[in-house]
Short mmCIF file of all heavy atoms in Angstrom, two decimals:
data_model
loop_
_atom_site.label_atom_id
_atom_site.label_comp_id
_atom_site.label_asym_id
_atom_site.label_seq_id
_atom_site.Cartn_x
_atom_site.Cartn_y
_atom_site.Cartn_z
N THR A 123 -34.96 -6.62 -1.75
CA THR A 123 -36.30 -6.25 -2.17
C THR A 123 -37.28 -6.64 -1.07
O THR A 123 -37.06 -7.54 -0.26
CB THR A 123 -36.72 -6.99 -3.45
OG1 THR A 123 -38.12 -6.78 -3.72
CG2 THR A 123 -36.43 -8.45 -3.39
N ASP A 124 -38.39 -5.91 -1.01
CA ASP A 124 -39.44 -6.24 -0.02
C ASP A 124 -40.06 -7.59 -0.26
O ASP A 124 -40.67 -8.17 0.63
CB ASP A 124 -40.56 -5.17 -0.05
CG ASP A 124 -40.01 -3.81 0.48
OD1 ASP A 124 -39.08 -3.81 1.25
OD2 ASP A 124 -40.55 -2.77 0.03
N SER A 125 -39.91 -8.11 -1.46
CA SER A 125 -40.46 -9.45 -1.75
C SER A 125 -39.48 -10.56 -1.29
O SER A 125 -39.83 -11.73 -1.48
CB SER A 125 -40.74 -9.60 -3.23
OG SER A 125 -39.63 -9.35 -3.99
N LEU A 126 -38.42 -10.16 -0.61
CA LEU A 126 -37.56 -11.14 0.03
C LEU A 126 -37.18 -10.55 1.36
O LEU A 126 -36.06 -10.07 1.56
CB LEU A 126 -36.30 -11.44 -0.81
CG LEU A 126 -35.42 -12.57 -0.32
CD1 LEU A 126 -36.15 -13.92 -0.42
CD2 LEU A 126 -34.11 -12.61 -1.12
N PRO A 127 -38.07 -10.55 2.33
CA PRO A 127 -37.89 -9.79 3.61
C PRO A 127 -36.98 -10.58 4.59
O PRO A 127 -37.39 -11.07 5.64
CB PRO A 127 -39.29 -9.61 4.13
CG PRO A 127 -40.04 -10.82 3.60
CD PRO A 127 -39.42 -11.13 2.29
N VAL A 128 -35.64 -10.62 4.28
CA VAL A 128 -34.71 -11.26 5.11
C VAL A 128 -33.69 -10.22 5.60
O VAL A 128 -32.49 -10.47 5.64
CB VAL A 128 -34.02 -12.42 4.40
CG1 VAL A 128 -34.97 -13.57 4.14
CG2 VAL A 128 -33.37 -11.95 3.07
N TYR A 129 -34.18 -9.05 5.97
CA TYR A 129 -33.29 -7.98 6.42
C TYR A 129 -33.93 -7.22 7.56
O TYR A 129 -35.11 -7.29 7.84
CB TYR A 129 -33.04 -7.02 5.24
CG TYR A 129 -34.28 -6.31 4.75
CD1 TYR A 129 -34.71 -5.13 5.34
CD2 TYR A 129 -35.06 -6.93 3.74
CE1 TYR A 129 -35.88 -4.51 4.88
CE2 TYR A 129 -36.22 -6.30 3.31
CZ TYR A 129 -36.59 -5.08 3.89
OH TYR A 129 -37.77 -4.51 3.48
N ALA A 130 -33.10 -6.45 8.29
CA ALA A 130 -33.56 -5.63 9.41
C ALA A 130 -33.04 -4.24 9.35
O ALA A 130 -33.72 -3.24 9.66
CB ALA A 130 -33.25 -6.26 10.75
N GLY A 131 -31.70 -4.06 8.99
CA GLY A 131 -31.14 -2.77 9.12
C GLY A 131 -29.89 -2.58 8.21
O GLY A 131 -29.85 -3.20 7.11
N GLY A 132 -28.95 -1.80 8.66
CA GLY A 132 -27.81 -1.43 7.85
C GLY A 132 -26.93 -2.58 7.40
O GLY A 132 -26.40 -2.57 6.33
N LEU A 133 -26.75 -3.64 8.24
CA LEU A 133 -25.98 -4.75 7.88
C LEU A 133 -26.57 -5.43 6.62
O LEU A 133 -25.86 -5.72 5.67
CB LEU A 133 -25.96 -5.79 9.00
CG LEU A 133 -25.35 -7.14 8.70
CD1 LEU A 133 -23.87 -7.02 8.31
CD2 LEU A 133 -25.49 -8.08 9.93
N GLY A 134 -27.92 -5.56 6.60
CA GLY A 134 -28.60 -6.13 5.46
C GLY A 134 -28.44 -5.27 4.21
O GLY A 134 -28.28 -5.77 3.09
N THR A 135 -28.53 -3.96 4.44
CA THR A 135 -28.44 -3.04 3.28
C THR A 135 -27.06 -3.22 2.62
O THR A 135 -26.99 -3.34 1.40
CB THR A 135 -28.60 -1.58 3.74
OG1 THR A 135 -29.92 -1.41 4.24
CG2 THR A 135 -28.37 -0.60 2.57
#
Side-chain angles (χ1 to χ4, degrees):
T123 169
D124 292 333
S125 56
L126 188 65
V128 292
Y129 62 89
L133 171 63
T135 297

